[in-house]
Every structure is written in C-alpha cells, then in structure tokens.
Amino acid sequence: MNSPPITQASKRGRVFFVGAGPGDPKLLTLRGAECLRRADVVIYDALVNERILDHARPDARRIRLGAGGQAPEMRQAEVCRRLVELAQQGLTVVRLKGGDPMVFARIADESARLADHGIAFELVPGITAALAAASYAGIAITQRGCAPAVGLVSAHAEPGDVATDAGETPLDHHALARFPGTLAYYMGTATAAVWTARLVRAGKPPDTPATIVHRCTFPDQVCVRCRLDEVAGRLDAADPASPAIVVVGPAAGLPPALAWFEQRPLFGQRVLVARPIDQAAAWADSLTELGAEVLIQPAIRIEDPPDWRPVDDALDRLADYDWLVFSSSNGVRFFLRRLFARGFDLRRLGRVRLAAVGPATADALAEYHLRTDVTPDEFRAESLASALAVGAAGQRFLSIRASRGREVLADQLRSAGAVVDQIVAYSSIDVAVADAPVKRRLAAGEIHWATVTSSAIARSLAALFGEDLRKVRLASISPITSATLRALGYEPAVEARVYTTTGLLEAILEVAAGPVSRPSLDGSLPPLPTHGPSD
Ligand code: SAH
C-alpha cells in the first residue's frame, strides 16, 4: 500500500481499531486506553461495556451501533462510509470492537475501505473471548499431553457465507471432530443443537468434556461444565442475549483447580454503594476485587458551601487558631482547595496543629503532605473530642465541617474550656431520585447488600428506597449510623467493628464468606525484594 505522507494523513485524521476485551473494562490494553483518550469520535458495538468509554474525553462523540435494528450488511456498509467520512474531516476515530478486532469482527472490510481512501489506521489487539474464558474459568486450553492445539470456531454464518438452513457456518465437522486439542465456539448459542449434533455425527465422542462460559470476566459470569451432547440442552435455559463461549475438548474436563474467579469471597454478591461518586470508586474497586458486583448509587451529593465568606474569613485569620479539626475527607479537600484558590499555599497553615476524625480524613491530609497531630483511637467525633480535650482549655479550635453534621465535637471542646469556631466548607445534599435500574433491581430483591457509611446516607437511602430497602442487608459503618438506621425503622445486618470502609468490608466478609482464608484487605501484595540477586 502507498502510505500517504504523514502531514496529509494527519490532516485526514486516522482510525484506530481497538479491541475492548471481553467485558471487564480493566482488561483493555494501555494502548487502547491511550487511543480512546485521543479520540474525537468513538464508534462502538452494542456489546462493548460502556464503562470503557470513560477513557474517552467527555466531549468526544460517541456513536453506538447495532441498536437501530438494521440488517448487519447495511450496518457494515454504513459504518465503512462513516469511518471514511469522519477521518476525511481530519478527526481521530476509535472503532471499538468487543474482544479482539481481528477475531470474528469483520474488520477487514472496514480497514480495506480506509486503505482505498489512503486513510491511516492502526489495529490495537484486545483479549479475545475464548482466551478470557479460559483464564476466568480456569481452563488450561493448551494443557500439555492432551491439548497441543486450539481452534477458534465461528458457529454462526457471516454475511456472504453460504449458510446452512440453521444459519450455521458451513463448517467441516469431520475435520473439527478430529481436531487434536481444544475448540472454542463463538456465537454458538442459537445454533448449539445443530453444531453439537453434527460434531458428534462426524465422530467426536458425545462425552467429550465441554464448558460453557457465559459473560466471562463480568461479575455475574456463569460456567457450566457438561458433556458435548448436553451443551444444547444447557444453553436452552440460558438467556440468548447473554454472550457465551463453548470450550470443547479434554482440557475442558480437567479438574477446575484453577477456577479462581468464582471462588473469590464475595462472588455472586451484588452490593449497592451509596457514597458520593468521587468517594465510591476506590471502595467499589476493593469490593470488585473480592468478587462482588458493585452498583453505585450516590445517596448524597457533595458541593460547594452556600457561602464561601466564613471559610475566607477563617483563611484570613488562620494564625489566630491553635487547632484545625477535620471531621471528614471532604472537609479537608474543600478547605484546602479554597485555600489554594485564594492564592495561598500550604505555608498559610503556619504553626496550627491538625486533627482528623479517622484514617480516611488523615489520608486526605496526607495527600497534601500534611501530617495530623491527633487521630483518635475510635473513629468518631466523641473520641476525637476526648483526645483533644486534654489541655484544650483556653485553646482556639477551628472545626471544618459539612452543611449538616453533629455538634458533639464543638460541645465537648467548649465544655473543656476551649474556644470553638465552626465553618461549613461543603454542602452535603440528598440525591432526590435513584437511578431507574438500581431502583428496579432493589425492588426485585436482586441486590444483596447496601453499604451505609454515614447517618446522612442512611437517611437519604430511606427516602430514596423506602420499603424496598428492607430487601437488602444493610452494612453499617458505626454504632451511630446503626442508631440512625434503627430510628428510621431498619435493622442493620452487620456493623463494622473498626469504623472505616475496611472495617465495613471485614464485617460483610464475615457474614458473606465465613472465616475462610481471605486476601489482604488493603490490597497490598507481598513486598518485592528491593535488590536483585546480582546487586
Ligand atoms: N471479536 C470478539 C468476538 C465477536 S463475536 C472477540 O474477540 O471476543 C461475538 C461472540 O464472542 C459471542 O457470540 C460470544 O461467543 C463471544 N463473546 C464475546 N464476549 C463474551 C463474553 N464476555 N463471554 C462469553 N463469550 C463472549
């Protein structure tokens, strides 16, 4: 092919065909993420997990295919036309495909059209469903001694193929029956009765081991281990819209010693996380890593305070205070962001001492390279007040808090003889309406847990879901949050012993998984040696 000169190519834009991987958005390649960040337009198939699009810029155009009900051939021609058109406008286009773009994805037609028009393109591989299914179901598809080869098989006719009556690819079943190793069937759900019967008729033993892997890498992955002649029956019961790979061959029958994915302690548990969105992500990651399917429904929103003046006044008079007391990580972030927005830097804090209610708040300070002078033994306002009360007489405290919150800290410090000013550094506002899918799943009893990480969240959840909130197990972060839940008429199923999100995770694990050997909760891996053997 004659490549156009670079300047011309860049003026014409370019197209990246990116493999999105099998489903879990974290299985995208780094190159794929990089291309998405650069994209002006992303054209993606209906099956692609939309969370992968989070890598794209918010202003990138997103075009979802396959929802219009057009015939596939029409869609293909239309996609080719649009790719050319967009690239000719000088745009960077990502054509996002499920799995790998070169495996049963008809990318050749699209890339050929681009080549015809001299448009530069790149193919970025992705993890194809068969290989992901092997890893996530624990099937050693190239097991030494029994599976020296692997075949990727399409069980569905492609446009242009001479299809059989059943809409099946014209496969050479005799060759496949003799295939020495593992066969992975794609798109084989609807036609399973036909292709499995033909394979058996061609000589494949009916008791050849098979494993059906539905929705591999998703938190609701399902694996069915059976015989080849049972595959169609087992697939009948499945949702035809749910993608499945069927692995056939001796490797599929080996003991499932490698089946790590479904053995994680929270596998199969659906957990509602009700924290504000920017605090939900890390917490959701810990739950996901333990196997849970996480649904995020913020119950409160965190916003600027209604009036910055009290914060600004306090920033102007910071030298008057002996202590700054933070009751939440949001307080830390909003207060310090305002400090920076006013043109100050950390030196503004001068000699003031810092107190944090708990480790998350202390961590938020640490993000700004600030160390706390006091963190209480128990992570609640009462304990912080007791820790600070010693020697508080005559000292001046500035307490930084939300638009709503408890008065305990200020009351206790004042009774210890301290002077306490309080300022509101952020607003905490109830979310008025729940997302429809979350509401529906909660009402249907499909959610197993809801994590309740503050009294404000407890009250907002009660308002959002009412009676339906009784259908989940409520996991409460502290006795105060539990008391709020009880006052609202809900009994928590578990309560954290240590009042942190890690403590809450421990409490859920004790009930959900029993006292089995568990992975480390802080996500830490064993330390790596710092020196290699040659050092
Ligand atoms: N290019 C894709 C394949 C597209 S064909 C790839 O490389 O994976 C679509 C078929 O892929 C589905 O019918 C199903 O057989 C398989 N598939 C895709 N995602 C899957 C998943 N998460 N779990 C199981 N099978 C999947």
Side-chain angles (χ1 to χ4, degrees):
M1 182 187 108
N2 287 332
S3 303
I6 279 294
T7 46
Q8 193 190 347
S10 57
K11 211 176 99 215
R12 280 184 159 172
R14 58 192 288 152
V15 176
F16 296 96
F17 293 96
V18 174
D24 179 339
K26 293 205 173 169
L27 293 174
L28 178 72
T29 63
L30 292 174
R31 179 65 178 154
E34 190 173 59
C35 295
L36 279 165
R37 277 196 296 276
R38 281 206 223 154
D40 300 307
V41 187
V42 183
I43 305 186
Y44 63 103
D45 290 355
L47 259 184
V48 167
N49 188 335
E50 291 198 334
R51 279 184 48 203
I52 290 178
L53 297 167
D54 292 348
H55 291 283
R57 295 193 317 264
D59 64 328
R61 239 173 99 196
R62 292 153 164 80
I63 303 175
R64 184 169 185 264
L65 298 176
Q70 310 108 310
E73 306 89 289
M74 283 278 299
R75 205 159 67 218
Q76 196 65 28
E78 170 69 7
V79 173
C80 290
R81 197 183 55 74
R82 288 183 93 170
L83 283 177
V84 169
E85 205 176 271
L86 291 163
Q88 281 177 338
Q89 288 167 22
L91 299 172
T92 299
V93 184
V94 163
R95 173 77 175 100
L96 193 60
K97 299 289 297 182
D100 185 277
M102 295 306 267
V103 178
F104 304 132
R106 279 188 261 134
I107 279 304
D109 304 350
E110 296 178 21
S111 53
R113 275 292 287 278
L114 295 176
D116 289 347
H117 287 81
I119 294 167
F121 64 87
E122 178 176 324
L123 289 157
V124 181
I127 299 174
T128 191
L131 300 188
S135 290
Y136 277 63
I139 304 168
I141 48 167
T142 59
Q143 177 67 33
R144 198 151 39 99
C146 69
V150 175
L152 305 185
V153 187
S154 164
H156 191 272
E158 304 274 313
D161 285 346
V162 184
T164 63
D165 295 345
E168 199 201 3
T169 320
L171 289 169
D172 182 344
H173 293 285
H174 291 278
L176 290 173
R178 286 194 308 275
F179 188 80
T182 309
L183 295 172
Y185 281 84
Y186 287 69
M187 299 172 278
T189 312
T191 53
V194 180
W195 66 258
T196 54
R198 292 202 174 142
L199 202 53
V200 170
R201 234 180 295 138
K204 196 86 168 166
D207 62 352
T208 305
T211 301
I212 306 167
V213 191
H214 293 274
R215 288 179 57 77
C216 74
T217 79
F218 284 98
D220 56 350
Q221 166 179 308
V222 175
C223 280
V224 180
R225 290 169 186 273
C226 58
R227 296 160 41 122
L228 175 59
D229 60 356
E230 293 167 341
V231 165
R234 297 299 191 93
L235 279 170
D236 271 351
D239 173 3
S242 146
I245 281 282
V246 185
V247 183
V248 178
L254 297 169
L258 300 171
W260 61 277
F261 188 69
E262 290 160 22
Q263 284 169 13
R264 293 168 308 155
L266 295 182
F267 183 77
Q269 305 275 318
R270 241 173 246 128
V271 183
L272 180 71
V273 168
R275 306 188 93 192
I277 205 81
D278 57 335
Q279 288 171 289
W283 173 220
D285 276 353
S286 319
L287 287 161
T288 307
E289 204 140 301
L290 291 166
E293 178 177 352
V294 177
L295 289 92
I296 296 178
Q297 167 63 67
I300 57 177
R301 253 190 356 257
I302 302 295
E303 290 184 354
D304 282 356
D307 184 3
W308 279 115
R309 268 171 305 181
V311 180
D312 289 344
D313 285 350
L315 286 170
D316 290 334
R317 293 183 293 104
L318 265 188
D320 294 350
Y321 293 101
D322 301 298
W323 284 93
L324 284 187
V325 185
F326 293 95
S327 309
S328 70
S329 52
N330 285 315
V332 171
R333 295 198 185 99
F334 277 78
F335 182 78
L336 288 175
R337 271 189 227 145
R338 186 66 184 174
L339 182 149
F340 299 131
R342 291 276 315 279
F344 301 128
D345 64 23
L346 286 178
R347 288 171 298 177
R348 187 79 197 161
L349 298 178
R351 299 166 63 88
V352 73
R353 276 172 290 171
L354 304 173
V357 72
T361 308
D363 285 349
L365 283 165
E367 281 169 27
Y368 295 94
H369 307 286
L370 292 168
R371 200 169 295 179
T372 47
D373 297 285
V374 164
T375 312
D377 301 336
E378 267 201 340
F379 311 131
R380 50 181 180 162
E382 286 81 352
S383 312
L384 180 58
S386 322
L388 290 170
V390 189
Q395 300 268 298
R396 297 185 63 100
F397 288 80
L398 178 64
S399 158
I400 291 142
R401 43 172 285 181
S403 52
R404 50 188 178 187
R406 299 189 309 135
E407 293 293 331
V408 180
L409 184 76
D411 290 351
Q412 284 194 28
L413 287 174
R414 283 189 189 121
S415 28
V419 178
V420 184
D421 290 337
Q422 302 196 69
I423 51 166
V424 170
Y426 62 98
S427 298
S428 139
I429 297 163
D430 286 354
V431 168
V433 186
D435 294 344
V438 172
K439 217 173 160 64
R440 185 171 28 77
R441 295 187 88 168
L442 195 76
E446 289 174 9
I447 298 179
H448 305 96
W449 293 91
T451 61
V452 191
T453 42
S454 72
S455 289
I457 288 177
R459 280 187 282 268
S460 181
L461 280 176
L464 280 173
F465 298 115
E467 276 302 299
D468 284 343
L469 201 56
R470 294 186 201 291
K471 297 181 179 163
V472 294
R473 290 168 164 179
L474 297 169
S476 157
I477 198 162
S478 73
I480 293 191
T481 304
S482 299
T484 306
L485 281 170
R486 288 194 186 103
L488 291 162
Y490 303 93
E491 185 57 32
V494 297
E495 180 183 285
R497 269 197 292 273
V498 180
Y499 316 144
T500 61
T501 47
T502 308
L504 189 55
L505 208 51
E506 285 276 9
I508 294 174
L509 277 173
E510 271 170 33
V511 172
V516 290
S517 68
R518 297 196 303 256
S520 113
L521 287 181
D522 59 4
S524 56
L525 295 167
L528 287 169
T530 45
H531 301 286
S534 56
D535 283 343

